[in-house]
Amino acid sequence: MENSELIEKPWTGRFTESTDAFVEAFTASVTFDQRMAEYDIKGSIAHVTMLAEVGVVSIDERDQIISGLDNIGREIAEGKFNWSIALEDLHMNIESRLVQNIGSVGKKLHTGRSRNDQVATDIRLWLRDEIGNILVELERLQDGLLSLAEREADTIMPGFTHLQTAQPVTFGHHIMAWYEMLVRDHSRLIDCSHRMNVMPLGAAALAGTTYPIDRDMTAQLLGFESAAENSLDAVSDRDFSIEFSSAAALIMMHLSRFSEELVLWTSDPFSFIELPDSFCTGSSIMPQKKNPDVPELVRGKTGRVYGHLIGLLTLMKGQPLAYNKDNQEDKEPLFDTVDTLKGSLKVYADMMPTVVVNRDNTRAAAAKGFSTATDLADYVVRAGVPFRDSHEIVGKAVRYGIEQGKDLAEMSLSELQQFSDLIEEDVFEVLTLEGSVAARNHRGGTAPQQVRAAIARARTNQSAIKKSGDIV
Ligand code: ARG
């Protein structure tokens, strides 16, 4: 039986006509906000616990309400709850069911509360847990990157600027660049979760309530760091969702850039890496194709997360204080942002250990394109020539190499000496790829030794963060 057949909308007192059927469906949010049911019930239990402590409801009433809410929670978890559009949203569905089950004592639950502070609380509780879930996947991806970087600490690949071969780097160093981006992403999520972890309950509709409530008690019961200072602000702003969405958009931006590299690296002309069949798909027409769908999709999904961020910013920009129905539009973009981000991080974390690097190909690519030209310029500088002049000398050597079809390391000493008589036999040490990367041996440099040191520091920091438990 539908709840709506038994229970009226709780606000019909001043109405003489019933709601237009289309308007009812148009204004309802229950089809999507039911996702926060577990948190709505938790919030209600904390609220009624506090109401009993301050004497607004009796202990017996509290116990009946809590056991009624627990039963509803079970019904929902088992998929047996009949959600009704006529009851508009998740809050009224649960409250109606409570009254239906335990009688009019259930009507006392909403004392000193409004759906406005209720929904603002539910979203925070829900998002707080989801940020925790997202951090689990993010940390798994970080661990995967550290292992890959460690495995490929000595692997030579071309480093690019403008996507033109620039200087040789180690594959591990390149991967650690992605790791560093995720470190900042991680801290942004932690940071925004603290700002979000403030409780709206007690703000009621907008101005607070006349009951002698104890907001600190409710906040503590729900694990909030404090109760919101201002009731108008507490019910109306959704900046916490926007802040989270902007952190999410940045993570997706990073994953999208990374995806772009994986797509390039798996392509035939590059052939730097291989992804396993389980992370790729084929073509229905071209039998040879193995497409990197996972990175492509993650790159594509970035667009919708950006879209949600702009959607939420726009949702808020015209709203006067305090609550407006516009705010009901905050949930679907936020839910989709969480799902998209969590899924993208999960698939990346699963994929990372499967990446196989074609070391011969990455090395061969680095050997092309005069990637040690800067090393030769530095060598000439060390012989006493100003850098600008040595740049000119090496530029001429490169032009000669292009004409002759030879890389710098393939030229004979006398060929190199045409450009500067300061060049000696020991020049070949700096022209090798291994010599070039090993020479950049300082914190933040690409030398294998430095990559290993960076990985060790990252692992120490990771475990310090985990130990500190700085996750709300
Ligand atoms: N479904 C509403 C929302 O998502 C809950 C709050 C409704 N408040 C109100 N006064 N109509 O925002």
Side-chain angles (χ1 to χ4, degrees):
M1 198 184 305
E2 282 265 307
N3 286 354
S4 54
E5 291 169 27
L6 288 166
I7 310 287
E8 277 197 340
K9 299 184 203 323
W11 43 253
T12 49
R14 61 102 70 208
F15 285 73
T16 51
E17 286 174 33
S18 57
T19 322
D20 174 272
F22 184 74
V23 170
E24 190 167 86
F26 186 77
T27 53
S29 56
V30 67
T31 48
F32 50 87
D33 66 12
Q34 55 179 270
R35 182 170 175 166
M36 303 187 300
E38 182 191 335
Y39 300 94
D40 194 72
I41 288 173
K42 271 189 195 155
S44 290
I45 290 176
H47 177 65
V48 76
T49 303
M50 179 278 289
L51 289 181
E53 288 301 318
V54 299
V56 172
V57 299
S58 72
I59 298 296
D60 178 53
E61 288 166 338
R62 175 198 69 188
D63 292 346
Q64 288 185 58
I65 290 173
I66 292 180
S67 104
L69 287 167
D70 282 338
N71 287 335
I72 293 173
R74 265 190 295 279
E75 245 175 57
I76 295 172
E78 288 164 11
K80 293 183 184 147
F81 192 90
N82 282 321
W83 298 101
S84 161
I85 294 264
L87 287 167
E88 199 176 317
D89 56 26
L90 122 114
H91 322 292
M92 296 207 298
N93 268 268
I94 290 178
E95 196 188 330
S96 293
R97 182 70 177 155
L98 184 68
V99 175
Q100 190 183 342
N101 286 355
I102 68 170
S104 60
V105 60
K107 294 181 181 167
K108 293 202 172 183
L109 169 62
H110 213 51
T111 315
R113 185 176 79 167
S114 149
R115 281 183 295 152
N116 296 352
D117 58 347
Q118 193 178 352
V119 70
T121 302
D122 290 1
I123 308 170
R124 284 170 161 89
L125 290 172
W126 175 84
L127 186 55
R128 193 174 74 182
D129 270 9
E130 287 293 359
I131 290 178
N133 298 333
I134 289 165
L135 286 172
V136 168
E137 297 301 336
L138 183 61
E139 286 167 15
R140 226 159 51 78
L141 173 56
Q142 286 183 304
D143 290 343
L145 288 173
L146 289 179
S147 303
L148 179 60
E150 190 166 46
R151 187 182 358 124
E152 306 299 337
D154 295 294
T155 305
I156 304 280
M157 69 177 279
F160 301 98
T161 59
H162 313 269
L163 204 56
Q164 309 290 317
T165 301
Q167 293 172 354
V169 294
T170 49
F171 198 94
H173 189 56
H174 191 111
I175 291 300
M176 286 303 285
W178 292 115
Y179 177 85
E180 283 300 317
M181 297 176 217
L182 294 184
V183 169
R184 294 192 295 276
D185 290 333
H186 189 283
S187 74
R188 264 187 285 270
L189 286 176
I190 300 270
D191 206 30
C192 90
S193 72
H194 285 294
R195 255 187 301 282
M196 187 191 74
N197 200 23
V198 171
M199 185 191 71
L201 282 177
L206 74 164
T209 175
T210 54
Y211 297 95
I213 54 170
D214 182 344
R215 300 184 67 216
D216 291 334
M217 182 190 300
T218 322
Q220 209 204 341
L221 288 170
L222 290 171
F224 282 112
E225 286 163 39
S226 61
E229 281 294 333
N230 182 289
S231 61
L232 297 166
D233 172 45
V235 288
S236 63
D237 207 352
R238 296 292 182 265
D239 60 350
F240 66 95
S241 291
I242 297 174
E243 190 177 358
F244 165 77
S245 299
S246 83
L250 282 170
I251 300 174
M252 291 303 292
M253 179 273 288
H254 287 149
L255 292 184
S256 183
R257 294 183 66 195
F258 197 8
S259 296
E260 176 66 12
E261 295 207 326
L262 297 183
V263 171
L264 283 173
W265 291 353
T266 51
S267 72
D268 274 328
F270 274 82
S271 294
F272 282 6
I273 62 162
E274 306 238 354
L275 295 176
D277 289 357
S278 53
F279 282 83
C280 298
T281 63
S283 156
S284 54
I285 175 166
M286 296 166 284
Q288 84 284 12
K289 291 296 284 292
K290 179 172 152 184
N291 298 326
D293 289 40
V294 166
E296 287 175 284
L297 255 179
V298 168
R299 189 176 58 187
K301 283 177 186 291
T302 304
R304 62 203 259 181
V305 173
Y306 288 6
H308 295 324
L309 170 61
I310 297 297
L312 287 172
L313 281 165
T314 314
L315 174 69
M316 290 312 299
K317 76 179 273 294
Q319 289 195 47
L321 288 174
Y323 177 87
N324 302 280
K325 185 77 169 179
D326 312 42
N327 278 343
Q328 185 163 290
E329 283 291 301
D330 63 350
K331 287 166 208 64
E332 287 160 294
L334 183 64
F335 294 167
D336 189 62
T337 297
V338 164
D339 291 341
T340 307
L341 177 61
K342 213 168 39 174
S344 301
L345 285 168
K346 178 187 162 27
V347 78
Y348 254 74
D350 291 346
M351 185 171 66
M352 223 24 69
T354 70
V355 172
V356 173
V357 180
N358 298 326
R359 295 175 186 153
D360 292 343
N361 294 351
T362 57
R363 194 183 188 290
K368 281 187 256 165
F370 305 95
S371 66
T372 54
T374 316
D375 299 82
L376 179 58
D378 289 344
Y379 173 94
V380 177
V381 166
R382 280 195 294 276
V385 176
F387 186 81
R388 283 289 157 236
D389 295 337
S390 92
H391 186 285
E392 181 74 14
I393 290 166
V394 178
K396 287 186 175 137
V398 166
R399 188 174 349 127
Y400 172 82
I402 293 168
E403 282 158 13
Q404 301 290 314
K406 279 185 187 176
D407 204 77
L408 295 170
E410 290 163 354
M411 294 179 196
S412 68
L413 183 58
S414 56
E415 277 178 305
L416 287 167
Q417 282 172 338
Q418 300 171 76
F419 309 103
S420 167
D421 52 14
L422 296 168
I423 297 176
E424 313 267 357
E425 187 64 42
D426 62 356
V427 72
F428 292 104
E429 286 161 33
V430 308
L431 292 184
T432 65
L433 298 170
E434 283 72 14
S436 169
V437 294
R440 285 159 172 84
N441 194 18
H442 52 78
R443 188 184 180 121
T446 195
Q449 197 186 338
Q450 293 300 330
V451 174
R452 293 200 173 88
I455 295 169
R457 281 195 300 273
R459 290 208 166 114
T460 309
N461 291 341
Q462 286 260 82
S463 57
I465 289 170
K466 278 179 197 162
K467 246 189 245 142
S468 82
D470 188 17
I471 291 173
V472 293

